Amino acid sequence: MPSLKDLKNRIDSVKNTRKITKAMQMVAAAKLRRAQEAAEAARPYAERMDAVLGNLARSAAGSPTAPLLLRGTGRDDVHLLIVATAERGLCGGFNSSIVKLARIHAQKLLDAGKTVKILTIGKKGRDQLRRDWSKHFVGHVDMSEVKKLGYTNAHDVADDVLARFTAEEFDVATIFYSEFQSVMTQVPTALQLIPAKFDGAAADDTAPNYEYEPSEEEILADLLPRSVATQIFRALLENAASEQGARMSAMDNASRNASEMIDKLTIQYNRSRQAAITTELIEIIAGAEAL
């Protein structure tokens, strides 16, 4: 049975831990507000670009002069998986849920006889995948020095991906990230970047037909690389908001668990203290009766 001193030290230790988790929760809450605003502000732009490109792609579909980013290489053999996670932990299952989705997707591709290449963004994803999937790694993007996420960061990643595509290193590229819905809910998501793929809702069948100058193919050739960068930027922004939401939730749970542990240890401490006092009183009374 632990001594009173040991119990007191444990209570003080858990109280200090609770102070840290509460402080981290407050910091995450402040960062979440900014990250959520940035993610929500990027959604309309990305969705509108997706709609415009969807309509253009519908017009250019099947054309032999359509941009390579739209029609693809004509093969489905080599897949590049871009796994975007955080640089830090202590955010619940945020990183592991993205990695899990990427692993499932990669395993299905391997089972189908495809070649898998992995590009990681963020330390945690790389660390979790390194043990079993390191032979599939083709690159890593370090975001540890990035204080404020900007379009330039996404543009650099897009340039790397597009250069690999131009060099015929892969046929299909898919990015894995977590879409922010609320503090409690972040949804692991897989989005195909290359060849460009648009939702059925994006291509508006009721939209009027326009004659483009220059042609649809030329406009697509200019916009599709920007679309890749935009989608990567949106994924990184969604990840940033999801990370802070997950961290806020995780630190809140940790603080609650610490409070419960403090209550249990305090009860145990009080009982041990009462038992010690009772024992001392019995000894004193016994000694007095002996006299």
Side-chain angles (χ1 to χ4, degrees):
M1 186 175 180
S3 65
L4 288 174
K5 184 178 180 181
D6 290 339
L7 286 171
K8 187 68 169 61
N9 289 337
R10 287 180 64 184
I11 291 171
D12 291 340
S13 175
V14 177
K15 283 182 177 179
N16 289 334
T17 300
R18 184 175 62 178
K19 289 179 182 178
I20 295 172
T21 56
K22 279 186 173 294
M24 293 183 68
Q25 180 185 351
M26 293 175 65
V27 171
K31 290 183 177 180
L32 171 62
R33 182 179 59 81
R34 296 191 295 270
Q36 183 178 352
E37 289 174 354
E40 290 176 347
R43 287 174 186 171
Y45 178 79
E47 289 169 358
R48 188 57 186 161
M49 173 174 273
D50 197 52
V52 170
L53 288 174
N55 286 319
L56 285 168
R58 183 183 56 179
S59 301
S63 172
T65 59
L68 192 61
L69 286 174
L70 178 63
R71 55 188 168 86
T73 61
R75 299 183 300 274
D76 185 34
D77 301 326
V78 183
H79 287 250
L80 175 67
L81 309 186
I82 307 165
V83 184
T85 56
E87 293 288 344
R88 299 169 54 208
L90 297 177
C91 47
F94 166 74
N95 292 307
S96 58
S97 61
I98 298 172
V99 171
K100 180 181 178 181
L101 180 63
R103 277 178 173 155
I104 292 172
H105 189 79
Q107 192 59 55
K108 286 182 179 178
L109 291 172
L110 290 178
D111 292 342
K114 311 295 184 182
T115 299
V116 173
K117 297 183 178 182
I118 297 176
L119 172 66
T120 56
I121 303 175
K123 177 183 175 183
K124 289 302 176 179
R126 180 190 61 183
D127 291 348
Q128 290 188 32
L129 289 167
R130 178 181 288 161
R131 178 176 178 181
D132 299 323
W133 298 88
S134 59
K135 64 181 181 180
H136 298 278
F137 284 8
V138 295
H140 173 69
V141 179
D142 186 355
M143 292 281 193
S144 59
E145 300 299 322
V146 177
K147 302 302 180 184
K148 184 178 181 180
L149 189 64
Y151 181 78
T152 303
N153 305 115
H155 194 274
D156 291 341
V157 177
D159 284 346
D160 181 25
V161 173
L162 291 171
R164 294 176 187 274
F165 183 66
T166 303
E168 300 183 352
E169 294 184 17
F170 64 87
D171 302 312
V172 181
T174 305
I175 188 168
F176 296 84
Y177 65 99
S178 186
E179 183 174 321
F180 177 81
Q181 291 189 354
S182 69
V183 173
M184 300 297 296
T185 308
Q186 302 87 35
V187 182
T189 303
L191 175 66
Q192 182 174 308
L193 297 175
I194 302 172
K197 191 175 182 182
F198 305 102
D199 294 334
D204 186 1
D205 293 330
T206 64
N209 291 322
Y210 295 100
E211 290 187 5
Y212 294 94
E213 181 65 34
S215 66
E216 290 95 331
E217 289 83 358
E218 291 180 82
I219 296 174
L220 283 169
D222 180 63
L223 289 183
L224 284 173
R226 300 188 194 185
S227 176
V228 172
T230 299
Q231 296 295 352
I232 291 175
F233 186 42
R234 179 185 176 184
L236 295 179
L237 290 176
E238 293 283 350
N239 254 12
S242 295
E243 178 190 350
Q244 298 306 329
R247 180 169 290 115
M248 183 179 170
S249 179
M251 291 302 100
D252 179 56
N253 289 334
S255 298
R256 291 174 185 272
N257 291 337
S259 295
E260 291 177 3
M261 184 175 291
I262 290 169
D263 291 341
K264 291 179 181 178
L265 289 172
T266 300
I267 291 172
Q268 186 177 355
Y269 174 82
N270 290 336
R271 286 176 177 172
S272 297
R273 185 167 176 270
Q274 288 173 356
I277 292 173
T278 301
T279 301
E280 289 179 3
L281 287 174
I282 292 173
E283 291 176 352
I284 291 172
I285 292 171
E289 288 180 351
L291 293 175

